[in-house]
Amino acid sequence: MASSVLLLITLAGLSFLAAASGGYVGPRVGGRTAIPDVRSNKEVQDLGHYSVEEYNRMQRRQKGGGGGGGGNGEIVFGEVVGAERQVVAGIKYYLTIEGLQGGARKVFESVVVVRPWVRSKELVTFGPSRGGDGSGKSGF
């Protein structure tokens, strides 16, 4: 009985110390974390390419046109220059993408959700960067 009380007091004390110290000091669950070396990360570059192609496909569908290849305001993928990821019901990627539109270099932001267990990826948003400088610092 005495050992049970001592164990209970010890556990309560450790719980108090953990709570007082702030607990785990690392990336927050559900928080966004930067992805290093995006220019050499094949998965991130593939997601950037997917984002641009999916955006172009949706634009063609809205305009009722076919074809492609950079005309009619379509974007030609350059490279992903910045990326963050967030664990949600899958992995949400926040991408900063350089591309060409109408012959001019522009920076775009994209959000893609990947659910690998169902082999799914979905373009959530795509548009001009609010930062616009290509620094890799997202305007999200």
Side-chain angles (χ1 to χ4, degrees):
M1 174 80 171
S3 63
S4 296
V5 172
L6 182 59
L7 179 63
L8 188 59
I9 291 171
T10 302
L11 289 174
L14 289 173
S15 296
F16 174 76
L17 287 174
S21 70
Y24 174 70
V25 181
R28 291 182 324 200
V29 174
R32 288 166 54 168
T33 57
I35 299 174
D37 303 321
V38 294
R39 286 185 163 101
S40 62
N41 186 317
K42 182 174 176 2
E43 178 184 16
V44 170
Q45 294 299 323
D46 287 348
L47 286 172
H49 191 266
Y50 163 81
S51 296
V52 170
E53 291 301 313
E54 187 68 8
Y55 172 79
N56 287 337
R57 187 183 66 75
M58 290 186 315
Q59 294 294 39
R60 284 191 302 267
R61 188 181 305 157
Q62 281 182 351
K63 294 177 182 175
N72 302 321
E74 286 196 1
I75 299 165
V76 177
F77 176 75
E79 68 177 339
V80 176
V81 295
E84 296 176 329
R85 63 187 278 164
Q86 177 182 25
V87 177
V88 291
I91 303 172
K92 186 181 280 189
Y93 290 89
Y94 298 84
L95 307 174
T96 304
I97 300 168
E98 285 185 354
L100 292 174
Q101 186 176 36
R105 180 188 153 278
K106 296 185 179 180
V107 180
F108 303 91
E109 292 179 351
S110 169
V111 176
V112 179
V113 174
V114 177
R115 293 179 185 89
W117 61 92
V118 291
R119 296 182 183 180
S120 158
K121 59 184 161 187
E122 174 188 2
L123 180 62
V124 178
T125 62
F126 189 96
S129 174
R130 288 180 253 163
D133 61 0
S135 68
K137 294 180 181 161
S138 176
F140 288 109

